[in-house]
Amino acid sequence: MATVLPPPSKRLKLEAAERTRAQQDVGDIPDDLGSVRVQFFDQTTGEATGGPVSILVADTTVKNLELLLNSLQGNDASERIPYRFTHQRQAADEFNSTAIDITRDLYQSLLQPGLKTTEDAISLQYTPQAVFRVRAVSRCSSSIPGHGEAILATQFSSASSSRMVTGSGDNTARIWDCETGTPLHTLKGHTSWVLVVSWSPDDSTIATGSMDNTVRLWDSQTGDTLGAPLKGHTKWVRSLAWEPYHLQHPGRPKLASASKDATVRIWDVVSKRIEAVLSGHKGSVSCVRWGGTGKIYTSSQDKTVKIWRANDGTLISTLTAHTHWVNHLALSTDFILRTAYHNHTGQIPGSAAEKLAKALSRFETAATINGEVVERLVSASDDFTIYLWNPSSTLKPIACLLGHQKQVNHVTFSPDGQLIASAAFDNHVKLWNASDGKFLFSLRAHVGPVYMTSFSADSRLLVSASKDTTLKVWDVATGKMKQDLIGHKDEVFAVDWAPDGGRVTSGGKDKAVRIWRH
């Protein structure tokens, strides 16, 4: 009797599919297309780098374009910078111009769809990608008990991945040493759940918001409370935002807190006084963001997003497009504002003036597009939609991002401002182009609602936390899962990827803090 071979395993099937795909990719570009003229433009300044260059269509892969641009810039082989290329396709309306990502080569992205011909001069905008590479976390290095109830919020220090803070339903926040996997300080004082934690950009102070209607400030080194609680809200505090470091008066940082009482309060952290009360929303304020251009953005359950002037608290404009509660906001500059003058090298300027100058320089570099400082905003709602805004130029949304089948819980920009990730109750994470809102990938692997996502510092990886007890790490270039992080015993509410890329922290209903490393 003939031996019946067992069916191929899932791994073998995936390998066979990869081989088939690779064979199809070879020879995709016809050999008889000749050459095409390409000119490079810096997306930040809008200035041309060199003149038009004629290259064979068969050689217009992203890797070859990178090599050509580096040689035009005079970079040595050891100094080569990885770049991301886009082609700006102008429409009749300037706000509807679309950016087309060059993912593999010019033939597949522009010539084959008929957007350009070999007779045209193709202008490509380039942005440098991170010169360092974050490795995907793959193992749980520490599982630390300590909290008596579910962990509701977590955040790494803005300086490094060696310390982080968590907020819990046991009325406390805790500071943890991630090097040794041990608790450093327990922050006691709140009389109800700690819903939100926020580390100041200069790494010196931690703010916590609670269901006891107060905000408390703590010394991040000693864990001591800094004076009395900030009282003023009449319902619980849902969101916190620090004033960007480059806008602060030296030694007088401010903090914005958003509450279920429909107000946002701006506090002077030193004197503990209320500087302004932003009252205008008709429902619970779900999220607050403090932008680098001196504006405060708030979202509410009254279906609106409001923009305020930070220095005097006056309302500038109201963005109305959503038809249900607005759950979350994100700014394209969030990562830079969070880290201020800290970067992946760990080098900190010596004087206060140098710190201020570096923070301002990093913000302007990240926010400048074609010579203008642009801070884009994205909002997520219970109406299943996400809207992308550029409030500095128009009060109409740039794009409506459709695709989720249930409430959208969380949105975030990648650190380089090029991508948007959204997490929803339909078990999916979706990736979108941040310049025009174009859909890129649907990341499917979770089997429960996804609560939160966080990008790695180099914008190449994404981690998502879900009700299904798992974390998943995704490669944003391909939309494929890199790692399935199993370890939590119940749903995972909070996740954060350290600004230096070294670690991921997560917490949830099982009361244990988990730290993940490569």
Side-chain angles (χ1 to χ4, degrees):
M1 190 174 85
T3 304
V4 179
L5 292 170
S9 66
K10 186 177 180 182
R11 182 173 62 83
L12 291 172
K13 285 180 182 176
L14 287 170
E15 287 174 355
E18 281 295 326
R19 280 197 302 274
T20 307
R21 197 176 298 115
Q23 288 165 359
Q24 287 173 347
D25 288 348
V26 175
D28 265 0
I29 305 176
D31 296 328
D32 56 353
L33 287 179
S35 59
V36 66
R37 283 174 302 144
V38 173
Q39 187 168 17
F40 299 103
F41 293 86
D42 188 334
Q43 188 171 356
T44 303
T45 62
E47 295 176 0
T49 302
V53 181
S54 182
I55 50 177
L56 291 171
V57 173
D59 293 335
T60 58
T61 60
V62 169
K63 191 172 180 181
N64 287 340
L65 292 172
E66 267 181 18
L67 290 170
L68 176 60
L69 179 56
N70 275 286
S71 64
L72 286 173
Q73 292 174 326
N75 296 337
D76 295 335
S78 59
E79 298 174 348
R80 278 188 188 141
I81 300 171
Y83 285 103
R84 178 194 185 97
F85 297 99
T86 55
H87 173 70
Q88 204 73 26
R89 189 182 176 206
Q90 293 297 332
D93 178 3
E94 63 173 322
F95 296 123
N96 290 328
S97 62
T98 55
I100 298 162
D101 273 321
I102 311 303
T103 51
R104 242 179 53 202
D105 52 59
L106 293 185
Y107 176 74
Q108 189 190 54
S109 300
L110 298 176
L111 301 177
Q112 192 178 32
L115 303 175
K116 287 285 179 182
T117 69
T118 53
E119 301 294 320
D120 298 322
I122 298 176
S123 59
L124 294 179
Q125 291 185 318
Y126 64 87
T127 48
Q129 291 185 309
V131 293
F132 62 97
R133 187 174 286 274
V134 173
R135 295 188 295 180
V137 293
S138 56
R139 62 187 175 88
C140 180
S141 63
S142 304
S143 177
I144 323 169
H147 280 299
E149 287 295 335
I151 294 160
L152 306 174
T154 181
Q155 192 180 48
F156 275 104
S157 155
S158 48
S160 73
S161 63
S162 61
R163 290 181 305 148
M164 58 100 173
V165 63
T166 54
S168 168
D170 63 5
N171 307 352
T172 69
R174 287 174 181 254
I175 302 173
W176 309 85
D177 184 335
C178 302
E179 303 284 355
T180 59
T182 54
L184 285 174
H185 308 289
T186 302
L187 314 182
K188 294 180 180 178
H190 286 294
T191 56
S192 189
W193 298 1
V194 179
L195 297 177
V196 56
V197 293
S198 184
W199 213 298
S200 67
D202 66 357
D203 193 40
S204 66
T205 311
I206 293 168
T208 55
S210 168
M211 275 185 77
D212 64 10
N213 310 348
T214 68
V215 176
R216 284 181 179 265
L217 300 167
W218 316 82
D219 187 302
S220 67
Q221 299 297 326
T222 63
D224 296 333
T225 182
L226 299 176
L230 309 182
K231 293 182 178 178
H233 287 296
T234 56
K235 291 187 179 176
W236 62 71
V237 179
R238 298 187 59 179
S239 180
L240 297 171
W242 286 92
E243 182 181 19
Y245 189 82
H246 65 271
L247 299 179
Q248 293 178 11
H249 291 293
R252 300 299 293 261
K254 293 176 188 173
L255 177 72
S257 59
S259 167
K260 189 175 162 63
D261 65 9
T263 68
V264 174
R265 291 172 191 264
I266 301 172
W267 309 85
D268 183 316
V269 169
V270 177
S271 66
K272 308 290 189 292
R273 291 174 54 190
I274 297 172
E275 294 272 310
V277 179
L278 313 183
S279 54
H281 282 296
K282 297 183 178 69
S284 171
V285 184
S286 56
C287 189
V288 60
R289 286 282 184 269
W290 200 318
T293 56
K295 294 174 184 171
I296 292 175
Y297 306 85
T298 58
S299 63
S300 168
Q301 291 184 358
D302 66 6
K303 311 175 194 173
T304 67
V305 176
K306 291 185 185 288
I307 305 171
W308 316 77
R309 195 177 293 115
N311 55 9
D312 58 6
T314 56
L315 178 66
I316 299 172
S317 51
T318 302
L319 308 179
T320 54
H322 288 293
T323 57
H324 210 304
W325 296 353
V326 186
N327 294 323
H328 198 245
L329 293 176
L331 288 171
S332 56
T333 53
D334 274 343
F335 182 82
I336 295 295
L337 297 179
R338 171 186 171 182
T339 53
Y341 51 81
H342 303 100
N343 61 17
H344 67 283
T345 64
Q347 296 173 352
I348 297 175
S351 68
E354 288 173 347
K355 289 178 180 177
L356 199 67
K358 185 173 179 183
L360 179 59
S361 168
R362 291 187 76 221
F363 169 74
E364 288 176 342
T365 303
T368 303
I369 299 175
N370 293 333
E372 290 181 40
V373 173
V374 176
E375 210 166 33
R376 292 189 302 279
L377 177 74
V378 66
S379 56
S381 169
D382 267 15
D383 63 9
F384 309 175
T385 68
I386 302 154
Y387 279 99
L388 178 63
W389 313 82
N390 183 4
S392 59
S393 61
T394 175
L395 298 181
K396 292 181 179 178
I398 299 172
C400 177
L401 284 53
L402 297 171
H404 282 295
Q405 303 299 313
K406 288 188 178 178
Q407 296 93 326
V408 188
N409 195 48
H410 188 270
V411 281
T412 181
F413 275 92
S414 60
D416 64 5
Q418 300 294 321
L419 299 170
I420 296 167
S422 58
F425 279 29
D426 60 4
N427 307 358
H428 297 157
V429 177
K430 291 186 186 291
L431 284 176
W432 317 80
N433 186 318
S435 57
D436 59 4
K438 182 181 169 188
F439 172 74
L440 298 175
F441 298 110
S442 193
L443 312 181
R444 303 166 190 263
H446 285 296
V447 292
V450 187
Y451 292 136
M452 196 173 177
T453 62
S454 183
F455 275 96
S456 64
D458 64 353
S459 305
R460 293 184 177 105
L461 300 168
L462 178 78
V463 63
S464 54
S466 168
K467 185 177 180 177
D468 66 9
T469 77
T470 69
L471 299 165
K472 300 194 190 298
V473 181
W474 310 87
D475 183 336
V476 299
T478 62
K480 292 180 181 175
M481 187 171 71
K482 294 271 284 186
Q483 296 288 342
D484 191 2
L485 306 179
I486 300 168
H488 281 286
K489 296 180 176 63
D490 212 326
E491 40 195 297
V492 189
F493 294 137
V495 66
D496 190 31
W497 204 314
D500 65 6
R503 295 178 177 87
V504 167
T505 175
S506 59
K509 212 169 177 179
D510 63 1
K511 310 173 193 175
V513 177
R514 290 183 185 269
I515 299 167
W516 309 83
R517 298 197 61 175
H518 177 74

